[in-house]
Structure formats: structure tokens, C-alpha cells
Amino acid sequence: MTIIGASRTGGHTYDWPAIERSLGLRLPSDYKRLFEVYGAIGINGIMIGHPEELQQQHEEQVEYLDWEEDEAMAVHPAPGGLLWCANTEGRETIWWDTSDPDPDRWTMVWDVQFDRHTFPGTLTELVIADLTSRLASPLTGLDPSHDGPMMWF
């Protein structure tokens, strides 16, 4: 987590078992650690879903999906379905692919209705890849190499 600085939680804790019960699945440890260390955060135009609002935000994002039936992917609560986790300033929607039973091995998917990009790592690995310009298609139009990473807490 040194790429984005020191802890900023102010002592807020999360009831992870209750949050996971409401979702019906466990969450990745990198996501939980990110919130335990930083609390609510947006990084370089990537607004990561708050744990206590994850279920509601997921349901709202699912309502916006409008894809052809032959292109549709399963969406949580369907087994192995996509679970919303973040949005970008450019209106990309980022999802966990929950098809692996181990949440620490979930991969990331975005732009699911059009180009459908995938990333074979965790949410924090995706954010770091974006911050370090290692994605073929950047998640945002912000360039941390010019202004440094932009943070919202």
C-alpha cells in the first residue's frame, strides 16, 4: 500500500461477517485491507465501492446493464456472477468475476457491455496497474505521471 501513502482510516472498523452475510459471499482480502487501511477512497478517478453500501450499489449498477442476451454474463446473486465493486470518472463500471470459489482469486472485468476488458488480478492490483500505466486501455483519463495520483478520502 506504500504507492498511495500512509493509513487514513481514523479508526473506523467494518463488520465484515455481517457485510459478507448480506452479500451471500466472502469478499477479497485485498479489498478488506484497502478499507481497513484507508477507509472510503477514490484513487486517480477510480471510486471504490464502500463495504457498507456494496449490496445497494451493486443492485443499482445491475439495473443499468443493457446487453444483448447472447452477450450477457451471469450477475450476482447468480452463482459465479459479476459483483460490482467500483466506478471510474469516465463512467466505466468495474466488477469482480466471482466464478472462482476463493475470493482472493477473483479477477476483474470492466466495460462489460462493449469491449469487455479483463484483468487477471485483484482490485488493488488493477488500481496499481492503472497508476503505473501497465494497462493497455487505461481506466481513466487521468495521468499520474504528470500530476501524481489523485486521492479522495
Side-chain angles (χ1 to χ4, degrees), residues 10-108:
H12 186 80
T13 58
Y14 299 92
D15 186 351
W16 294 113
I19 292 166
E20 292 173 329
R21 265 192 313 276
S22 76
L23 288 167
L25 33 83
R26 293 179 301 132
L27 291 168
S29 58
D30 73 301
Y31 172 79
K32 293 190 276 191
R33 178 158 163 64
L34 185 67
F35 273 87
E36 289 165 357
V37 174
Y38 295 99
I41 188 169
I43 305 169
N44 213 52
I46 302 167
M47 281 60 79
I48 300 169
H50 193 280
E52 294 163 344
E53 300 167 0
L54 202 56
Q55 179 69 37
Q56 176 187 342
Q57 290 182 350
H58 169 76
E59 291 168 3
E60 289 172 6
Q61 292 299 319
V62 168
E63 289 180 24
Y64 293 116
L65 290 175
D66 182 30
W67 48 28
E68 299 298 322
E69 211 168 302
D70 62 334
E71 297 174 353
M73 298 178 74
V75 176
H76 179 73
L82 299 178
L83 176 64
W84 176 87
C85 62
N87 287 332
T88 72
E89 49 83 28
R91 297 189 180 161
E92 293 289 352
T93 306
I94 303 170
W95 307 81
W96 282 299
D97 176 347
T98 69
S99 58
D100 193 300
D102 180 353
D104 291 331
R105 295 198 319 236
W106 290 351
T107 57
M108 308 308 302

Side-chain angles (χ1 to χ4, degrees), residues 108-129:
M108 308 308 302
V109 182
W110 68 96
D111 198 12
V112 294
Q113 291 179 261
F114 304 103
D115 295 329
R116 195 170 292 166
H117 300 283
T118 60
F119 182 79
T122 67
L123 177 60
T124 53
E125 290 169 337
L126 176 66
V127 170
I128 291 167

